[in-house]
Amino acid sequence: SAEIQFAHVHRSQIGPDVSAPGAYQRIAKYRQSLNANSRIRLAGDYCMSSSSTNAAAWSGQAAANELAQIFER
């Protein structure tokens, strides 16, 4: 049946990370400093502005795309 049989809502008092002032500028500076031909790429939530699963996934995908371009040359 399409009826909801059970539900539970958990509310946490802990909020999400808030980026420090200048975080986006530091990230942009880091990304601009990368050697375009280097096979080393960092990925993870710390490479973005906030600590989240989405940020980690995005930076991993970006690193993989950059490496794919290097290996296709």
Side-chain angles (χ1 to χ4, degrees):
S1 140
E3 293 180 30
I4 297 174
Q5 299 294 317
F6 177 80
H8 174 76
V9 176
H10 174 77
R11 303 215 187 266
S12 176
Q13 293 181 7
I14 300 172
D17 276 351
V18 175
S19 299
Y24 289 108
Q25 291 174 335
R26 287 191 299 276
I27 291 166
K29 187 175 181 180
Y30 155 73
R31 294 195 52 78
Q32 291 170 356
S33 74
L34 295 175
N35 178 341
N37 297 314
S38 176
R39 294 171 162 195
I40 298 172
R41 291 290 186 262
L42 299 177
D45 57 353
Y46 53 87
C47 293
M48 299 306 299
S49 62
S50 64
S51 180
S52 70
T53 303
N54 189 55
W58 185 91
S59 70
Q61 184 66 53
N65 290 340
E66 292 166 4
L67 290 172
Q69 290 178 355
I70 290 170
F71 288 117
E72 289 175 356
R73 292 181 195 160

